[in-house]
Amino acid sequence: MAAEIHSRPQSSRPVLLSKIEGHQDTVTVALLIPKEDGVITASEDRTIRVWLKRDSGQYWPSIYHTMASPCSAMTYQHDSRRIFVGQDNGAVMEFHVSEDFNKMNFIKTYPAHQNRVSAIIFSLASEWVISTGHDKCISWMCTRSGNMLGRHFFTSWASCLQYDFDTQYAFVGDYSGQITLLKLEQSMCSVITTLKGHEGSVACLWWDPIQRLLFSGASDNSVIMWDIGGRKGRTLLLQGHHDRVQSLCYLQLTRQLVSCSSDGGIAVWNMDANREEAPQWLESDSCQKCEQPFFWNIKQMWDTKTLGLRQHHCRKCGQAVCGRCSSKRSSYPVMGFEFQVRVCDSCYDSIKEEDRTSLATFHEGKHNISHMSMDIARGLMVTCGTDRVVKIWDMTPVVGCSLATGFSPH
């Protein structure tokens, strides 16, 4: 079922501690049990399993429960030991786990959606279970009565969800690339604002209630940090992944962001560095460097008897430029560009060698990652994916030796 891979040698990259195998289909969610050597998994093979680490170092399933439909989302509330599982058929099911994690009792079924559930959050204080689905809606239901409290519909599939428990604000990412901020009430909700910046569907969100920062990852391979507290809108664009960003976790103590992508890439971003906001792209009918017309500028092409050029943009200054005036490529990590991007020739000349020093570290998870979660106190991370394997990682060599005691390498 599983094997101990390593002890904990010191290194500068994540250490693979254990692999858990046994699922027959994609593992959609894997969650570490706080203060326990255990993992809860939900899979497209319709099973929920609780894996506990035995004296041998192997993880064995102590609970194996089969659902009526593939499991598409899950959340676990440790204080009450309640598990909420979303399914492909739109239902959310609630379970209670015994104190020794060897038994799981069914509590209730919530008819939350008409299609696949994409994300779930449980608020113990308000006794609400909040979920999003491919029926293009967010719903919130009372866990005491099982009744639907409210729904709000979007124009696209709702793909991910974050929630501020103090203010009852919900953040919903969707397949159009938009993020909607909603204020949830007992029987209604109001739209506060929408955030637009991604060029692909939003796959994951992370909300930091302390600094009031929202992080979003998308199929355009990028991460955006949104300054919600300062009401500045989009603050930083981070580009270092080569595939869809599937999961995020911000470590407030060490000011680091961990992101995982579907090609197995694991990135750790230093958010404590002085960074620059990427400029908005400027529009122009001609190159803002050499003034040659772009191909749609028919009047200038006719007047100058020249062929129009293709429009590009410098990632550093945002100016609209032609290919000849932007022939260089450079990384510029202070603006979030960890790999080489197009810059105009004058910006290229202004970038010093020290400006190209990376502000992130990149690691290989060596499996397709569809979901990641962290136990920040212990510096542990669990990843899972379409290869049906669950991996448990020691992240302390990368993010700090003891997050629980406040030690930070920065």
Side-chain angles (χ1 to χ4, degrees):
M1 305 266 86
E4 186 78 10
I5 308 300
H6 286 291
S7 57
R8 297 187 175 216
Q10 289 299 310
S11 71
S12 59
R13 57 182 187 269
V15 177
L16 180 60
L17 300 175
S18 293
K19 285 201 301 186
I20 300 175
E21 298 171 303
H23 281 289
Q24 304 303 309
D25 207 334
T26 300
V27 183
T28 48
V29 185
L31 302 172
L32 291 157
I33 303 172
K35 302 175 184 177
E36 298 282 343
D37 282 325
V39 180
I40 306 171
T41 59
S43 171
E44 298 276 4
D45 66 9
R46 299 189 297 121
T47 65
I48 310 164
R49 309 186 196 196
V50 178
W51 309 79
L52 296 180
K53 190 176 182 180
R54 306 303 184 189
D55 292 339
S56 63
Q58 294 182 323
Y59 283 82
W60 294 94
S62 62
I63 295 173
Y64 182 111
H65 182 85
T66 303
M67 308 282 282
S69 181
C71 305
S72 55
M74 178 176 65
T75 190
Y76 169 65
Q77 211 285 326
H78 186 61
D79 292 339
S80 60
R81 294 194 306 280
R82 291 158 80 175
I83 298 175
F84 295 83
V85 182
Q87 299 175 85
D88 225 25
N89 61 13
V92 173
M93 296 185 73
E94 179 184 353
F95 299 90
H96 182 264
V97 185
S98 64
E99 195 170 350
D100 61 2
F101 294 96
N102 282 309
K103 188 178 181 183
M104 188 170 76
N105 293 318
F106 167 73
I107 304 297
K108 200 174 290 168
T109 299
Y110 302 89
H113 297 275
Q114 301 298 315
N115 207 325
R116 182 181 177 91
V117 180
S118 55
I120 306 173
I121 287 176
F122 170 59
S123 170
L124 182 60
S126 60
E127 287 287 344
W128 288 2
V129 57
I130 309 159
S131 57
T132 54
H134 287 185
D135 55 358
K136 303 180 181 179
C137 87
I138 178 174
S139 72
W140 56 107
M141 303 187 69
C142 176
T143 54
R144 292 192 184 96
S145 65
N147 294 333
M148 177 73 68
L149 297 174
R151 268 192 181 137
H152 178 81
F153 286 87
F154 307 95
T155 56
S156 300
W157 283 359
S159 51
C160 48
L161 170 69
Q162 283 286 280
Y163 183 68
D164 187 90
F165 293 91
D166 292 333
T167 62
Q168 296 184 330
Y169 283 106
F171 301 88
V172 180
D174 65 38
Y175 271 69
S176 74
Q178 183 172 285
I179 301 164
T180 305
L181 171 56
L182 303 147
K183 167 71 171 176
L184 303 187
E185 308 283 359
Q186 187 67 30
S187 59
M188 59 171 286
C189 75
S190 51
V191 176
I192 306 302
T193 189
T194 55
L195 305 173
K196 298 178 181 178
H198 284 293
E199 297 178 2
S201 59
V202 182
C204 52
L205 295 170
W206 182 273
W207 169 244
D208 175 47
I210 306 299
Q211 295 185 54
R212 305 196 72 74
L213 299 173
L214 180 72
F215 297 88
S216 58
S219 62
D220 59 10
N221 309 346
S222 71
V223 177
I224 295 178
M225 185 185 88
W226 310 85
D227 184 357
I228 304 299
R231 299 186 177 181
K232 294 180 182 177
R234 191 180 92 170
T235 308
L236 288 174
L237 174 68
L238 304 176
Q239 293 191 324
H241 285 287
H242 297 283
D243 210 333
R244 177 186 178 92
V245 181
Q246 299 276 58
S247 237
L248 297 165
C249 180
Y250 178 62
L251 313 179
Q252 200 277 331
L253 191 64
T254 57
R255 307 295 174 89
Q256 292 166 297
L257 177 71
V258 181
S259 57
C260 295
S261 57
S262 57
D263 63 356
I266 301 169
V268 181
W269 307 83
N270 175 15
M271 303 306 295
D272 205 26
N274 290 323
R275 291 181 177 269
E276 297 176 18
E277 183 176 354
Q280 295 294 321
W281 286 1
L282 303 176
E283 295 302 325
S284 176
D285 289 331
S286 56
C287 175
Q288 293 180 296
K289 295 295 182 181
C290 69
E291 299 184 349
Q292 288 294 304
F294 293 131
F295 63 82
W296 61 82
N297 189 350
I298 297 173
K299 184 180 185 305
Q300 188 179 349
M301 284 192 292
W302 177 265
D303 292 344
T304 59
K305 302 296 188 291
T306 57
L307 289 174
L309 304 174
R310 182 181 174 189
Q311 177 183 262
H312 300 283
H313 284 92
C314 172
R315 301 309 193 266
K316 186 175 184 293
C317 69
Q319 287 191 318
V321 290
C322 68
R324 283 182 298 215
C325 293
S326 58
S327 59
K328 306 283 180 41
R329 301 288 187 276
S330 176
S331 60
Y332 196 53
V334 72
M335 204 172 272
F337 301 115
E338 289 287 340
F339 49 74
Q340 293 195 342
V341 291
R342 180 186 295 272
V343 292
C344 66
D345 293 352
S346 57
C347 281
Y348 181 86
D349 293 337
S350 72
I351 298 173
K352 301 180 181 66
E353 196 56 43
E354 56 265 29
D355 294 335
R356 296 185 174 92
T357 303
S358 178
L359 295 175
T361 59
F362 298 92
H363 313 279
E364 180 53 62
K366 296 184 178 177
H367 75 146
N368 171 287
I369 298 175
S370 59
H371 183 268
M372 167 271 288
S373 67
M374 289 191 69
D375 183 330
I376 296 173
R378 292 186 288 173
L380 296 176
M381 179 176 75
V382 60
T383 58
C384 60
T386 56
D387 61 357
R388 301 172 291 180
V389 176
V390 177
K391 293 185 177 183
I392 301 167
W393 305 86
D394 177 9
M395 292 294 288
T396 55
V398 182
V399 301
C401 294
S402 179
L403 295 173
T405 58
F407 175 84
S408 168
H410 303 302

